Amino acid sequence: MYDVVLLVEQELSGPDAKRVVELHQDMPEPVKYHVLVPCHNAEAGVEASISALGTADLYGPGLAGQRKDLAEAQKAIDTEAKGCSGRSVQRLRDLGQQAEGGISHDRAIDALVATVNHVQGQEVIILTRPHIVAEFFHLDWTNSARRHLGVPVLHLLEHESKPASAGAEPRK
């Protein structure tokens, strides 16, 4: 079995899934795809934003009263990420491939390294929208993955952009 870990910023579109599968069509052994979707931590994001603005003294104590709202927001974020992972896996399976997926609340690169180690991945594909500034300074997921992993890392740009909440196939 040849294990490929896919780190995706948003769900795989049909054309993206097809492009990924075509990369491995001549493999002599079966390929299994492991789709990883990083999931944002709502509470940590709010606290980091408040701290970055230097307003923690003003709003920090107020966060305690917002825990319920943050928990609801996190539940919605998790539900969307799980749907993204599930739809991406299904697109790969629809192309006759073995695939599984999941989400992670860890930092994307930490989750990627853990997943590669856990499944003994032999290749990583990172699928994102263009991030010009991060790529220029080599702070993007691809460059970070290459520094942390000893396997080939391929960066693909998403074929079509669509809202993360869109579950239907792209319009033709």
Side-chain angles (χ1 to χ4, degrees), residues 24-168:
H24 304 100
Q25 66 188 6
D26 295 329
M27 291 294 295
E29 58 188 304
V31 176
K32 183 172 185 179
Y33 296 99
H34 306 270
V35 179
L36 177 62
V37 177
C39 189
H40 299 287
N41 181 322
E43 185 173 333
V46 169
E47 288 177 355
S49 297
I50 289 172
S51 294
L53 293 172
T55 57
D57 296 343
L58 299 173
Y59 297 105
L63 278 180
Q66 303 298 318
R67 298 277 188 237
K68 183 178 177 189
D69 292 339
L70 288 172
E72 288 176 18
Q74 188 65 54
K75 184 177 178 182
I77 290 168
D78 289 354
T79 299
E80 179 55 36
K82 288 174 186 173
C84 170
S85 174
R87 290 184 298 271
S88 297
V89 166
Q90 190 57 52
R91 285 199 176 95
L92 292 165
R93 288 179 180 167
D94 289 346
L95 294 170
Q97 302 302 303
Q98 293 185 50
E100 62 181 25
I103 68 170
S104 176
H105 294 97
D106 295 334
R107 200 172 69 102
I109 293 304
D110 295 339
L112 177 64
V113 169
T115 302
V116 168
N117 290 335
H118 178 72
V119 303
Q120 297 180 341
Q122 290 115 315
E123 181 180 333
V124 169
I125 297 176
I126 298 174
L127 193 73
T128 67
R129 298 180 305 270
H131 295 284
I132 305 303
V133 174
E135 290 170 17
F136 179 78
F137 289 107
H138 302 286
L139 301 172
D140 59 307
W141 288 348
T142 305
N143 282 294
S144 292
R146 288 182 180 138
R147 286 191 298 272
H148 289 89
L149 295 167
V151 299
V153 177
L154 175 64
H155 181 206
L156 298 176
L157 295 178
E158 292 171 342
H159 184 263
E160 296 184 24
S161 286
K162 62 181 182 176
S165 62

